[in-house]
Amino acid sequence: MYKNDDFIRIIKNRLSEKRFEHSLNVAESAKELAKKFGADEEKAYTAGILHDIMKEESIDIQLEYIAKNGENTEKLKFANTQIYHQMSGTAYCRVELGVDDEDILSAIRYHTTGRRNMTLLEKVVYTADFISADRCYPDVDVMRKKASESLDEAMLYSLRYTITDLAKKAKPIHTDTVECYNDILENFKEKDLEL
Ligand code: DGI
Ligand code: FE
Ligand code: FE
């Protein structure tokens, strides 16, 4: 059974220096968010290290892994290839690295698109990916502040940005992303919270 030190060595061999650093930063941010919001810190850290493990792999090999994990690749034909790595990464961790913790696997599986009814750990990793130390988009400080207060607020903020940005560029938006957005928005409306 591999430990975090082994996983760090493994991703170092699979990723560019920049993305390797990004992965370590996401792991740190995920651990902090887990501590703050009561998720499993150890699982958050491991998922953070592994979340982008297939990001620099070829599309063909990614599709092979997705199929190996029993997922339908036909459905992905019209999807943005940028989302493949969440599925191929999950498959690689399960098949090649023997990761069998379903909490960690699902946090990797939904770290790009999100989905309806996300687990706490899924939200932690999704949010950590947006606020990691290497991120430097214009309103990253706003995002970090939101993340320090509420995962749902931070996620809604990032989803609004991502969905708008994809639509502006006439790129496809995965239905899980739209469902994730609607789900969080419904929670806000039900609780009558300010947006
Ligand atoms: O892998 P990272 O760059 O660290 O971050 P990520 O896994 O969140 O990937 C984000 C990219 O994926 C971002 O540039 C937007 C793009 N993308 C393409 N299609 C979709 C999408 N993001 C979401 N949430 N949903 C999509 O359908
Ligand atoms: Fe990613
Ligand atoms: Fe990432």
Side-chain angles (χ1 to χ4, degrees), residues 19 22-23 26 51-52 55 85 111 129 132 135:
R19 194 158 297 282
H22 164 71
S23 303
V26 172
H51 81 289
D52 277 340
K55 181 88 178 186
H85 74 286
H111 87 264
D129 203 6
S132 62
R135 296 291 194 202

Side-chain angles (χ1 to χ4, degrees), residues 1-2 7 90-101 105:
M1 183 62 189
Y2 289 123
F7 291 140
T90 309
Y92 189 89
C93 289
R94 200 194 286 279
V95 174
E96 303 293 348
L97 307 183
V99 176
D100 60 1
D101 185 304
L105 291 168

Side-chain angles (χ1 to χ4, degrees), residues 29-113:
S29 293
K31 193 173 167 181
E32 274 172 37
L33 290 175
K35 188 176 167 111
K36 179 156 193 75
F37 295 106
D40 187 310
E41 291 177 48
E42 194 62 25
K43 288 185 187 190
Y45 190 82
T46 303
I49 293 172
L50 295 172
H51 81 289
D52 277 340
I53 192 165
M54 288 295 260
K55 181 88 178 186
E56 294 170 3
E57 190 51 89
S58 73
I59 296 299
D60 284 349
I61 292 181
Q62 288 197 60
L63 286 170
E64 259 176 49
Y65 272 98
I66 295 170
K68 251 190 227 176
N69 201 29
E71 289 215 52
N72 184 344
T73 54
E74 195 55 30
K75 277 203 311 214
L76 291 175
K77 226 160 61 188
F78 299 107
N80 202 321
T81 54
Q82 280 195 62
I83 70 161
Y84 287 9
H85 74 286
Q86 63 167 10
M87 286 153 277
S88 58
T90 309
Y92 189 89
C93 289
R94 200 194 286 279
V95 174
E96 303 293 348
L97 307 183
V99 176
D100 60 1
D101 185 304
E102 296 299 330
D103 298 333
I104 294 174
L105 291 168
S106 83
I108 300 168
R109 171 66 179 76
Y110 295 102
H111 87 264
T112 307
T113 59

Side-chain angles (χ1 to χ4, degrees), residues 135-149:
R135 296 291 194 202
C136 55
Y137 51 88
D139 47 0
V140 67
D141 288 340
V142 180
M143 184 65 190
R144 289 198 175 115
K145 181 160 188 305
K146 286 187 185 290
S148 72
E149 289 161 1

Side-chain angles (χ1 to χ4, degrees), residues 112 126 130 157-167 173 177:
T112 307
Y126 183 99
F130 272 87
Y157 190 78
S158 64
L159 283 159
R160 287 171 72 183
Y161 170 80
T162 304
I163 290 172
T164 308
D165 187 56
L166 290 167
I173 301 168
T177 303

